[in-house]
Amino acid sequence: YRAKAAGGGVQRYHAALSEEAQRRSELERSLSDVLERGELWLAYQPVVELASGQAVGCEALLRWQSPVHGAVSPAQFIPIAEERGFIREIGAWVLREACGRAAQWQREGLELRVAVNVSAVQLRDPHFARDVAATLRAAGLPPASLELEVTETAVMADLPGAIAQLSQVRALGVSVALDDFGTGYASLELVRELPLDKLKLDRSFVTGAERDRRRQVIVASTIRMAGDLGLQVVAEGVETTQQQDMLLALGCPLAQGYLYARPLCPEDLLNLLARTLRRGA
Ligand code: C2E
Ligand code: MG
Ligand code: MG
Ligand code: MG
């Protein structure tokens, strides 16, 4: 009886595995021509200056609305796109789309810096910085209006290469942020070695920090270290006014999170900014 039950478990396990594998291969197939089918779009989440409550920038976040799979999370499809080599084209599209959007906003009188997430595969391309320069030129966007977000994983895949590319993009006037700061194995090494303008303190330190002294100390120390090094800090994943008040008290300059806005389509972002979070409003 026992053996039978265990066997059933193993069978269910295999069934679940192959279901997972099948979904993955279906996603892979759909991703191969996702750009041609026009199923990707960018959502934008405002970055707020805590002291004034005004939006000073936004982060572009990739969205895939598939007629077959529904809305697929970037956390799920980006790793697949990286593995299958689709991320180069997708990443280039994200950059073009975000720069084009920010340039359009500027022409309409809205000064909003846009941050774009960059994958390891893009950073490993020795022409990355040159392509960024070309994209900015084509969009007519001043380099100072673009920020690139890199994660520790993306950078550690080839640290010297990443340093070279990021130095070049910074020489253009583009700023560089280290995303999900504090979650990797080499956070301090990267602060020491990387050409950087900003740290994005990971949501996992912000969540529950009002109630957890350890997290609070880490948040406070990161803010102080960043200030001493002349780096900006953004607190990610701010969801409550208690978290906001704690960050304000600790002198954190910038924040991002559902408390202010979820990632929004361009039209909804403009509507929100017209009502609130607006510079000079
Ligand atoms: P990330 O760059 O760290 O982006 C922040 C994530 O936190 C986003 O998830 C955002 O929707 C979510 N978030 C923002 N505020 C809050 C909050 O208050 N509470 C909670 N619970 N979550 C919040 P999203 O959009 O699902 O993106 C997940 C990750 O996918 C991103 O993490 C980034 O690493 C990656 N990603 C997104 N777009 C791109 C892209 O265009 N290129 C690349 N290479 N990666 C991207
Ligand atoms: Mg990011
Ligand atoms: Mg992040
Ligand atoms: Mg993250």
Side-chain angles (χ1 to χ4, degrees):
Y1 174 77
R2 273 186 146 200
K4 223 170 153 190
V10 168
Q11 262 167 29
R12 269 197 304 281
Y13 177 72
H14 280 298
L17 254 192
S18 73
E19 240 172 74
E20 181 62 36
Q22 190 175 341
R23 171 163 166 88
R24 195 185 157 93
S25 78
E26 280 167 10
L27 287 177
E28 278 178 18
R29 226 171 311 121
S30 306
L31 267 177
S32 68
D33 55 357
V34 71
L35 281 170
E36 286 84 339
R37 280 181 285 104
E39 291 167 10
L40 296 181
W41 62 280
L42 293 183
Y44 297 88
Q45 186 179 36
V47 175
V48 174
E49 189 175 67
L50 274 166
S52 65
Q54 292 164 0
V56 291
C58 60
E59 177 176 6
L61 292 158
L62 189 54
R63 295 291 178 261
W64 179 15
Q65 187 61 45
S66 159
V68 183
H69 313 287
V72 189
S73 151
Q76 185 166 28
F77 74 79
I78 285 172
I80 301 177
E82 285 178 330
E83 231 168 84
R84 297 298 315 271
F86 308 140
I87 197 71
R88 281 186 59 118
E89 250 190 286
I90 292 175
W93 178 86
V94 169
L95 202 57
R96 274 200 310 279
E97 176 75 15
C99 290
R101 185 67 69 181
Q104 180 201 334
W105 286 335
Q106 284 200 359
R107 288 193 298 273
E108 292 166 2
L110 178 64
E111 286 283 337
L112 210 57
R113 174 187 278 176
V114 68
V116 172
N117 293 283
V118 172
S119 118
V121 179
Q122 290 172 280
L123 264 187
R124 249 180 281 152
D125 179 352
H127 300 306
F128 176 69
R130 188 198 67 189
D131 292 349
V132 169
T135 304
L136 285 166
R137 244 190 334 268
L141 186 70
S145 298
L146 176 65
E147 183 164 276
L148 297 177
E149 297 190 3
V150 297
T151 59
E152 181 169 323
T153 326
V155 167
M156 290 309 269
D158 171 14
L159 187 54
I163 290 173
Q165 293 306 311
L166 295 177
S167 303
Q168 286 180 49
V169 297
R170 282 184 85 226
L172 299 169
V174 173
S175 60
V176 174
L178 183 55
D179 207 347
D180 305 341
F181 179 74
T183 57
Y185 295 106
S187 302
L188 292 178
E189 179 186 349
L190 290 186
V191 172
R192 188 185 67 203
E193 299 296 334
L194 270 192
L196 277 182
D197 300 282
K198 188 183 277 182
L199 302 179
K200 298 196 75 173
L201 181 63
D202 192 70
R203 171 158 60 89
S204 58
F205 297 104
V206 174
T207 307
E210 328 84 274
R211 285 170 273 109
D212 179 4
R213 192 180 125 72
R214 240 186 233 222
R215 278 175 229 208
Q216 221 172 86
V217 169
I218 294 170
V219 172
S221 309
T222 304
I223 293 167
R224 196 167 335 109
M225 174 180 74
D228 288 350
L229 292 171
L231 300 174
Q232 292 252 55
V233 198
V234 190
E236 292 193 290
V238 179
E239 294 185 348
T240 68
T241 50
Q242 291 100 293
Q243 290 163 1
Q244 172 182 259
D245 294 345
M246 176 202 75
L247 290 163
L248 260 171
L250 294 174
C252 184
L254 301 166
Q256 191 179 339
Y258 295 168
L259 178 64
Y260 310 102
R262 298 203 166 234
L264 300 168
C265 71
E267 194 194 343
D268 289 347
L269 180 75
L270 289 190
N271 286 334
L272 177 78
L273 292 182
R275 284 185 283 113
T276 165
L277 302 177
R278 188 59 192 270
R279 285 207 117 162

